[in-house]
Amino acid sequence: MSPSQSVVSTFQRRLLVWYARHGRDLPWRRTRVPYRVLVSEIMLQQTQVERVVPKYRQFLRAYPTLRALAAADVGDVRRLWYPLGYNIRPVRLHAIARETLARYGGRLPDDGDALRALPGIGRYTAGAVLSFAFGRDAAVLDTNVRRVLGRVFFGPRRLRRLRGDSRLWALAESLVPRGRGYDFNQALMDFGATWCTARRPRCAPCPLRRVCATFPAHARRRRGAES
DNA sequence: AATACGGGGTG
DNA sequence: CACCCAGTATT
């Protein structure tokens, strides 16, 4: 069951308006260089934005280009990564740099399957690179988008019954407005990270509450006894 | 479908 | 202490 066209366009429009007003100014939004976008996305895997920002700057100072990273010692790259965690990530990122140099002449491929064939790049990161570096209308589904779409389009009960992410991926892909993949995906993630948060979502001032399948539940709970 | 993989932050 | 965080790869 897919949402009506009017709900979809309302969702898209209101989210983009929200983003224009409340979107964060993050370092990786100031570049479209694929290598830099990739570095940010690998760092952001299961790692909060505030912890990534300083390490992102430090990493790019040390390895400003994909070629510089490819030429580096992988042990040095690993040490620079600490304490971000998931320490296989820098090893795979380093491998991506070398493989990209060897197979693609040093240019990251603007193709989902080719990106996903690289180590450490899954469906989310491929979508992020496609939309944020190459301006494609590809979808992303991370923990933020999963929560936002789950709440708005499925609601608390139906979300629990979802098996796997295939429905959410299909929904995410159907929502991306033509030509607005970059802004829409950034907006969705910013909204999940700062507004439609896991704990204590800001429902009262939410621009999407009129189309949100979960808002009634929150309102009900608020009348009851939640802090 | 379930689990391993880091480390830091929050209520 | 339990849960959360711009996921991916392997069982």
Side-chain angles (χ1 to χ4, degrees), chain A residues 150-156 208-217 220:
Chain A
R151 281 176 174 164
V152 172
F153 293 97
F154 290 91
L208 302 176
R209 69 185 179 283
R210 305 254 167 82
V211 294
C212 180
T214 301
F215 176 71
R220 214 172 302 124

Side-chain angles (χ1 to χ4, degrees), chain A residues 116 121-129 139-141 165-166 168-170 173:
Chain A
R116 291 195 58 181
I121 298 185
R123 192 168 178 181
Y124 164 77
T125 304
V129 170
V140 295
L141 184 66
D165 284 336
S166 63
L168 285 169
W169 271 109
E173 284 168 352

